[in-house]
Amino acid sequence: MKNVKWFAVDIDGTITLNGNGMVNLNALSKLRYLARLGYQVVFVTGRSSIEALALAIFGGTTQITIGENGGVISTAPNSHKILADIDKCRKGYEILRCELTHVNEKSVFPRMSEVVVDRTFNLDEGNRVFKEKGQDLILVDSNYAYHINETKINKGFGLDSLMKALDIGYDEIVSIGDSTTDIPMFNRTKYSITFESSTKEVRNTATRVVKGENGDGLINAIDWIMEQKSYCEII
């Protein structure tokens, strides 16, 4: 792990308490410590990239964020690389409203590449409708909401776009997260860490599983990584 210079970190369930948006301050302090050491910390989230950027600014970490499940990369409040077409997602939303009941847009921060809806209908039914209607779209469950994304969009796609743009090597970045939406991100990095509280599918995909949840797991993950780096430097 001696080449690691970057950390790609999920937000909800990884640095927040019980997924309710309240940040574990000890975990945030740990990320700020990494930034002070010269490491780059990138938040990769299903939330808007603007929310993540605000967290980075006030938290004192790297001001590069990937939001909307990989659909937007932000480097400033008015600087965004949009990787998907929101109009396609809005069309998909209208199709769902016509075909299914209880489909409602969720009140969230404005989005640039996706549409976010309430978890009030069957996810599989929604994806069936997209397939039958020939839409290149997918519904993704973030445990907070359903996200209508272009099929190509996921956290791995967004992270890969950033890695190519900044020439970040496969072995230079660690991805840390707790949910199935983080799996594509895990698959784009040599090192990936999740927690014992994560689902079996997520645990089986990550290269390392540590104890802890609600931010404490992130602290344990960072401590473990730094131990490995110290060992590599000694030998």
Side-chain angles (χ1 to χ4, degrees):
M1 280 195 161
K2 62 182 180 179
N3 292 330
V4 170
K5 302 172 184 174
W6 292 76
F7 289 78
V9 182
D10 170 50
I11 293 179
D12 287 296
T14 299
I15 69 169
T16 60
L17 302 170
N18 300 318
N20 64 5
M22 184 182 298
V23 173
N24 182 318
L25 296 181
N26 290 329
L28 183 59
S29 177
K30 201 77 170 181
L31 292 174
R32 186 185 301 116
Y33 170 71
L34 287 178
R36 287 175 176 172
L37 289 178
Y39 294 98
Q40 308 300 311
V41 177
V42 178
F43 292 123
V44 186
T45 179
R47 291 177 179 264
S48 74
S49 57
I50 292 297
E51 288 177 87
L53 190 63
L55 178 61
I57 292 171
F58 288 110
T61 59
T62 309
Q63 293 181 31
I64 302 173
T65 61
I66 301 172
E68 304 186 25
N69 285 312
V72 179
I73 299 172
S74 295
T75 54
N78 60 350
S79 181
H80 315 286
K81 182 178 181 180
I82 302 172
L83 304 176
D85 186 350
I86 194 172
D87 289 337
K88 293 181 180 179
C89 299
R90 293 202 176 281
K91 178 182 177 181
Y93 171 68
E94 294 302 328
I95 290 173
L96 290 180
R97 281 176 54 85
C98 290
E99 297 292 323
L100 302 175
T101 59
H102 308 299
V103 179
N104 300 295
E105 194 163 358
K106 192 174 182 69
S107 178
V108 295
F109 281 80
R111 302 301 167 107
M112 293 176 272
S113 72
E114 67 172 7
V115 174
V116 184
V117 295
D118 289 319
R119 300 169 77 240
T120 50
F121 60 97
N122 185 275
L123 184 78
D124 293 334
E125 283 296 300
N127 280 317
R128 177 188 60 78
V129 169
F130 285 155
K131 185 175 182 180
E132 290 180 352
K133 298 296 182 179
Q135 301 300 303
D136 188 22
L137 299 170
I138 187 171
L139 274 170
V140 177
D141 187 359
S142 66
N143 295 324
Y144 164 74
Y146 291 159
H147 302 252
I148 302 175
N149 296 121
E150 284 191 56
T151 305
K152 67 180 181 180
I153 295 298
N154 55 56
K155 289 185 179 182
F157 183 87
L159 183 60
D160 189 58
S161 297
L162 180 68
M163 291 169 67
K164 288 177 179 177
L166 300 181
D167 195 26
I168 303 170
Y170 172 73
D171 63 343
E172 292 181 311
I173 187 164
V174 177
S175 53
I176 306 174
D178 73 312
S179 71
T180 55
T181 58
D182 296 312
I183 290 177
M185 178 171 69
F186 291 173
N187 292 334
R188 300 299 177 103
T189 61
K190 183 175 181 178
Y191 309 109
S192 54
I193 302 178
T194 194
F195 319 119
E196 289 183 348
S197 58
S198 302
T199 65
K200 182 178 181 181
E201 181 183 11
V202 179
R203 297 196 309 271
N204 287 345
T205 306
T207 59
R208 183 75 182 184
V209 178
V210 298
K211 295 181 179 180
E213 56 184 333
N214 298 326
D216 291 336
L218 176 61
I219 294 171
N220 293 335
I222 293 172
D223 286 343
W224 182 81
I225 293 166
M226 301 311 288
E227 287 175 2
Q228 305 312 303
K229 285 182 63 63
S230 295
Y231 176 75
C232 290
E233 290 170 359
I234 291 173
I235 62 174

